[in-house]
């Protein structure tokens, strides 16, 4: 079982490396790592387990965050009441890549966080509002998914980890709370 002690923190060189593509068929270690990463996310979102093992809640994790420089990501987004993304998105993505994206950008109103960053980093992180991602599952089957808004943000954040990019690299250094023109802010409270 992965715990917070297994997650490396900012400053560790693995977080700045370009992760290696994974070849098929998968070896048992890679399969087990993938399943453990997804299990960590589910556990981190289960209050009793998270409290017992002192897990910070996470919706995504990339293999480099557990010091394995491979192109492997797990994402666990439970179903919501939102009309935009009502379905659960709980997947292991091997060798994921964004094959198309919208011009329109979005960001989270409260900024982004990361299991590998133990501090608040204020600022907006511009992301593509919609993406199409291709990836392989554990059996080597190729998939193509269209994602929008929060799921798209999460997958972009995790793919950044595979490329040695931290979320705060995308924040405007000179004016972290400046919003680019036309950006859609997710989670912002509408004024009446």
């Amino acid at each position: 079982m992965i715990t917070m002690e297994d997650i490396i923190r900012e400053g560790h060189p693995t977080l700045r490396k370009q992760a290696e593509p994974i070849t098929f068929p998968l070896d048992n270690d890679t399969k087990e790592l993938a399943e453990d990463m997804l299990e960590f996310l589910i556990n981190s979102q289960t209050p009793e387990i998270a409290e017992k093992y002192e897990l910070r809640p996470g919706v995504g994790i990339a293999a480099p965050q557990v010091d394995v420089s491979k192109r492997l990501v797990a994402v666990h987004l439970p179903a919501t009441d939102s009309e935009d993304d009502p379905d659960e998105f709980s997947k292991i993505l091997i060798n994921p890549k964004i094959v198309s994206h919208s011009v329109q950008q979005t960001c989270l109103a409260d900024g982004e966080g990361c299991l590998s960053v133990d501090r608040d980093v204020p600022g907006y992180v511009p992301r593509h509002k919609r993406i199409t991602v291709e990836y392989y599952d554990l059996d080597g089957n190729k998939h193509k998914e269209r994602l929008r808004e929060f799921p798209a943000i999460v997958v972009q954040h995790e793919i950044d980890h595979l490329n040695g990019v931290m979320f705060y690299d995308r924040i405007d250094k000179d004016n972290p709370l400046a919003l680019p023109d036309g950006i859609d802010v997710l989670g912002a409270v509408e004024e009446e």
Side-chain angles (χ1 to χ4, degrees):
M1 178 177 146
I2 293 174
T3 67
M4 292 306 297
E5 290 174 14
D6 299 305
I7 296 172
I8 60 175
R9 302 308 201 274
E10 62 181 319
H12 193 291
T14 301
L15 291 173
R16 290 300 187 175
K17 282 185 189 168
Q18 186 84 7
E20 296 294 319
I22 293 174
T23 56
F24 288 90
L26 297 182
D27 59 54
N28 286 338
D29 288 347
T30 303
K31 274 186 189 170
E32 193 174 309
L33 173 64
E35 289 165 353
D36 287 350
M37 287 166 51
L38 186 58
E39 179 191 48
F40 167 83
L41 296 174
I42 294 166
N43 288 344
S44 80
Q45 294 177 37
T46 307
E48 309 79 45
I49 298 173
E51 185 179 341
K52 179 177 180 182
Y53 294 104
E54 298 179 354
L55 306 178
R56 278 179 41 204
V59 290
I61 189 170
Q65 292 180 273
V66 289
D67 204 13
V68 176
S69 193
K70 291 185 176 180
R71 300 189 77 76
L72 167 63
V73 163
V75 175
H76 181 69
L77 298 167
T80 67
D81 296 331
S82 164
E83 292 174 18
D84 292 327
D85 48 17
D87 300 328
E88 177 180 82
F89 186 78
S90 186
K91 303 206 184 277
I92 292 165
L93 292 75
I94 298 171
N95 298 333
K97 70 179 177 194
I98 295 168
V99 294
S100 67
H101 59 78
S102 62
V103 173
Q104 184 172 16
Q105 293 189 313
T106 190
C107 67
L108 297 177
D110 295 332
E112 292 184 19
C114 180
L115 294 166
S116 293
V117 178
D118 291 330
R119 61 190 173 100
D120 283 334
V121 181
Y124 294 115
V125 183
R127 302 278 187 192
H128 300 292
K129 186 170 182 172
R130 291 177 303 283
I131 62 168
T132 300
V133 62
E134 282 184 354
Y135 65 92
Y136 294 87
D137 62 23
L138 291 177
D139 298 320
N141 300 310
K142 190 173 187 176
H143 299 269
K144 189 187 250 187
E145 300 248 3
R146 283 193 162 133
L147 302 172
R148 53 181 287 142
E149 298 186 340
F150 190 58
I153 288 171
V154 172
V155 169
Q156 288 173 82
H157 177 113
E158 299 311 327
I159 289 175
D160 271 357
H161 276 303
L162 304 181
N163 296 319
V165 176
M166 300 295 284
F167 76 91
Y168 48 72
D169 297 341
R170 298 190 176 278
I171 296 173
D172 182 328
K173 305 280 182 268
D174 298 325
N175 197 347
L177 297 177
L179 282 170
D181 288 342
I183 197 166
D184 182 30
V185 182
L186 280 186
V189 179
E190 297 286 325
E191 304 236 352
E192 301 216 6

